[in-house]
C-alpha cells in the first residue's frame, strides 16, 4: 500500500502555508493520518541546514546552495516522506524539488535539468502525487511579505527580477507536467482555493 505525497509550491508570500494547513485540517477531519513536512527544515538536520541556507551572512555559491537544499531533501525523504507513504499515510509538504528547479535553476541560473537530476538522485526518484502551485504576481507576493514587517531571509532579499524568473520557472514546470500540477491563481480568496485543492485531492483518494 502506498500513501500520498502532496506538495505546495509558489513564490514567497503566495499563501502556501495557509493552504497546506487548511488541507491538513480537512484531511484529518475526514479520518486520514497526515504527516506534515517542509523543505528546507522538515527534520532535525534540516533545521540546521535551513539556518545556514537562509540566514548565513555572506555569499554562498549557487552550486553549494543547490547541494545544501539537496542534502536537506535527501534526509527529509529518507527519514520522513518515504516511511510515511510506505505506511499508507499522507504527507503534505511545503516545497519540494520544483522549488530547487525554480529558485536554483531559473533564479540562480543553473541548468534546470541538472538541478532536477540532483534532486532526483537525492530523493531516489520520488515525485509527488500532486503538486499545488500557488501562482502570484511577484509584486503582490512581496507586498504580502512586507505587510507583517518581517526581516527578509537570503532568498526573499533577492530583487524582483530574480523572483520573476522563479515564477516563470514554476509555470514552465507546471506546463511540462500538467498531470501532476494543479495551478491556482493565489490572488483568489482562500476558501475558494481550499475547495479546489480538496477537489483535486479527493480525485486521488
Ligand atoms: P519557505 O520560507 O517557503 O520555507 O522557503 C524558504 C526559501 O527557500 C524560499 O525563499 C524558497 C527557497 N528554496 C529554494 O531556493 N530551493 C529549494 O529547493 C527550496 C525547498 C526552497
Amino acid at each position: 500500500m502506498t500513501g500520498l505525497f502532496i506538495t505546495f509550491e509558489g513564490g514567497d508570500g503566495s499563501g502556501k502555508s495557509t493552504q497546506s494547513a487548511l488541507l491538513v485540517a480537512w484531511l484529518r477531519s475526514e479520518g486520514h493520518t497526515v504527516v506534515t513536512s517542509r523543505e528546507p527544515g522538515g527534520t532535525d538536520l534540516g533545521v540546521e541546514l535551513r539556518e545556514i541556507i537562509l540566514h548565513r551572512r555572506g555569499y554562498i555559491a549557487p552550486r553549494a546552495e543547490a547541494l545544501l537544499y539537496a542534502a536537506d531533501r535527501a534526509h527529509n525523504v529518507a527519514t520522513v516522506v518515504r516511511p510515511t507513504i510506505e505506511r499508507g499515510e499522507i504527507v503534505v509538504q511545503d516545497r519540494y524539488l520544483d522549488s530547487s528547479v525554480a529558485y536554483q535553476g531559473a533564479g540562480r541560473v543553473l541548468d534546470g535539468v541538472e538541478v532536477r537530476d540532483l534532486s532526483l538522485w537525492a530523493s531516489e526518484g520520488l515525485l509527488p502525487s500532486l503538486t499545488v502551485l500557488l501562482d502570484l504576481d511577484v509584486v503582490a507576493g512581496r507586498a504580502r511579505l512586507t505587510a507583517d514587517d518581517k526581516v527578509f531571509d537570503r532568498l526573499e532579499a533577492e530583487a524582483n527580477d530574480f523572483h520573476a524568473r522563479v515564477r516563470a520557472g514554476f509555470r514552465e514546470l507546471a506546463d511540462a507536467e500538467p498531470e501532476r500540477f494543479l495551478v491556482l491563481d493565489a490572488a483568489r480568496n482562500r476558501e475558494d482555493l481550499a475547495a479546489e485543492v480538496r477537489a483535486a485531492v479527493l480525485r486521488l483518494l
Side-chain angles (χ1 to χ4, degrees):
M1 174 149 143
T2 353
L4 284 182
F5 179 31
I6 300 165
T7 58
F8 283 81
E9 298 280 6
D12 301 285
S14 59
K16 290 180 308 301
S17 316
T18 305
Q19 285 303 323
S20 63
L22 290 170
L23 175 64
V24 169
W26 174 73
L27 283 167
R28 287 184 176 148
S29 75
E30 295 285 301
H32 297 283
T33 303
V34 183
V35 170
T36 60
S37 192
R38 73 189 315 205
E39 290 185 6
T43 62
D44 50 357
L45 172 64
V47 168
E48 293 184 38
L49 290 169
R50 182 181 174 96
E51 185 58 29
I52 297 172
I53 302 170
L54 297 183
H55 302 296
R56 184 177 182 278
R57 292 224 174 90
Y59 181 67
I60 299 180
R63 282 167 194 265
E65 184 181 274
L67 286 162
L68 287 165
Y69 280 112
D72 167 73
R73 182 157 303 130
H75 195 66
N76 182 48
V77 168
T79 65
V80 177
V81 182
R82 267 192 204 279
T84 304
I85 58 180
E86 281 169 6
R87 288 195 302 270
E89 297 167 2
I90 302 175
V91 177
V92 175
Q93 179 166 301
D94 279 17
R95 300 194 181 280
Y96 188 54
L97 90 179
D98 302 298
S99 276
S100 281
V101 181
Y103 282 81
Q104 281 66 56
R108 296 277 185 234
V109 206
L110 294 175
D111 183 301
V113 174
E114 289 178 0
V115 172
R116 182 181 160 92
D117 285 348
L118 175 67
S119 278
L120 288 173
W121 180 81
S123 67
E124 297 181 81
L126 182 70
L127 286 174
S129 340
L130 170 70
T131 298
V132 179
L133 172 59
L134 292 162
D135 180 53
L136 185 64
D137 174 71
V138 167
V139 176
R142 313 283 284 166
R144 288 192 190 179
L145 282 184
T146 37
D148 39 18
D149 249 18
K150 70 196 274 291
V151 180
F152 281 178
D153 66 39
R154 280 183 57 256
L155 280 289
E156 288 164 348
E158 287 292 334
N160 280 359
D161 63 334
F162 174 91
H163 291 284
R165 287 198 301 279
V166 169
R167 181 188 189 197
F170 274 129
R171 285 158 62 132
E172 238 175 71
L173 286 166
D175 286 345
E177 282 181 83
E179 61 302 327
R180 171 160 71 90
F181 275 90
L182 171 67
V183 183
L184 297 175
D185 173 359
R188 291 170 52 201
N189 93 47
R190 66 178 221 169
E191 292 311 324
D192 290 353
L193 292 170
E196 286 218 31
V197 174
R198 286 197 297 272
V201 172
L202 263 178
R203 288 193 288 274
L204 294 174
L205 286 170

